Amino acid sequence: MYNTFDSVKPLKKQFRSDFSFTKHFGAASLADLPPAFTRDNAYEIKDQKHTKFCVGFAISEAAERHEGVVLDPLYPIKNIQVLQGIELPYRGADIRTGMMAGRLGFIEKKDAPFSLDTQSPDFIADPKNWDPKYDQMAKAHAQGAFFEIDGDYDAFDNFRSAIYTHNQPDKDRKNNIVFGIKFSVMWSDLQNGIIPDKYDPNQGFSFHAMDFIDWTTINGKLYGRIQNSSGLGGTYS
């Protein structure tokens, strides 16, 4: 069994003094944000099982909102390996490398040659096991540019501002946020999927990649809704 702890590697900071996502593309002020903003649910709740594949799964879930089809979350693992250097057993990836793998494309799930039910994680993560024909097929679902979300607020409010601004009806392509979080395995079976305000700091945490979907207000308190890749019950607030 694979150890899923710390599947997201630290992100090396890249400073660009000449660029700001918010200043270039714009973002709504907090005063303009509604108490709830709802987007469609994921095309599929994915299950990475006991692997360190969370970055590949998170970028696949995000790309599905662009592409309108269910995508294979295992194909990008191969390209992550090519980009960061082949490492077996697979030890995870940083989110930037995952997004770069997304620019190489995705294959649709119906065309996927492998499954975690039938192949081992190391087999799937080894690029030599993938027929080159899938690289050509993946180009049909290649993603575009990606940016770090910045702004004048904390990460949660910057995410809300960006999601709200860039997912309006007049936008011809919906935008998505993949992020890293310190996540507890104990939260996988939460009632109603609501992460508690107070928790035991010793209950087992790991760095994990997820998608930020939208937000709502429950009993007067704002909650972000995030998409996990742990099978059924994979949406959390």
Side-chain angles (χ1 to χ4, degrees):
M1 180 180 296
Y2 258 47
N3 180 354
T4 60
F5 287 122
D6 293 339
S7 303
V8 180
K9 292 182 177 180
L11 188 65
K12 295 179 180 179
K13 189 69 175 180
Q14 292 185 346
F15 292 98
R16 281 195 60 181
S17 60
D18 61 330
F19 181 82
S20 164
F21 173 85
T22 301
K23 291 180 180 178
H24 188 81
F25 294 106
S29 68
L30 292 188
D32 294 330
L33 300 180
F37 182 65
T38 303
R39 304 170 72 202
D40 292 338
N41 289 326
Y43 278 76
E44 176 186 63
I45 296 178
K46 302 185 184 300
D47 188 357
Q48 69 180 78
K49 302 185 184 298
H50 296 286
T51 72
K52 291 179 176 284
F53 290 172
C54 64
V55 171
F57 276 65
I59 65 170
S60 300
E61 289 166 344
E64 286 174 352
R65 295 178 183 273
H66 286 164
E67 305 304 308
V69 294
V70 178
L71 301 174
D72 174 36
L74 301 178
Y75 174 78
I77 299 299
K78 184 271 290 187
N79 284 330
I80 286 173
Q81 287 279 76
V82 172
L83 291 168
Q84 71 179 6
I86 298 173
E87 186 177 40
L88 295 172
Y90 180 83
R91 300 183 185 277
D94 65 77
I95 291 177
R96 182 181 293 115
T97 301
M99 300 298 276
M100 291 171 63
R103 298 193 67 180
L104 298 175
F106 296 86
I107 62 173
E108 297 183 23
K109 183 178 179 180
K110 64 180 178 61
D111 299 319
F114 306 134
S115 165
L116 287 172
D117 293 326
T118 52
Q119 278 82 30
S120 71
D122 280 351
F123 180 92
I124 291 166
D126 192 340
K128 76 174 185 294
N129 293 323
W130 289 83
D131 191 308
K133 72 178 183 180
Y134 294 107
D135 296 335
Q136 294 299 317
M137 296 170 62
K139 292 178 180 179
H141 299 297
Q143 303 301 289
F146 59 92
F147 307 91
E148 180 180 357
I149 302 298
D150 57 13
D152 298 326
Y153 315 116
D154 61 20
F156 175 55
D157 285 337
N158 285 336
F159 286 3
R160 291 199 302 132
S161 177
I163 284 289
Y164 182 74
T165 302
H166 300 286
N167 286 276
Q168 295 300 314
D170 62 335
K171 301 294 183 182
D172 61 357
R173 187 167 188 178
K174 306 307 179 185
N175 294 281
N176 306 288
I177 296 175
V178 177
F179 71 107
I181 184 175
K182 198 171 184 180
F183 191 79
S184 171
V185 294
M186 302 296 292
W187 294 343
S188 296
D189 298 314
L190 285 172
Q191 185 176 6
N192 300 321
I194 299 177
I195 296 174
D197 292 333
K198 297 181 180 180
Y199 48 84
D200 181 357
N202 299 313
Q203 62 186 188
F205 289 88
S206 63
F207 291 102
H208 189 46
M210 294 186 176
D211 297 334
F212 185 89
I213 305 173
D214 51 31
W215 70 91
T216 190
T217 298
I218 302 174
N219 296 327
K221 184 173 182 178
L222 285 169
Y223 287 87
R225 194 161 64 113
I226 55 180
Q227 179 65 51
N228 197 7
S229 51
S230 60
L232 295 179
T235 303
Y236 298 83
S237 296

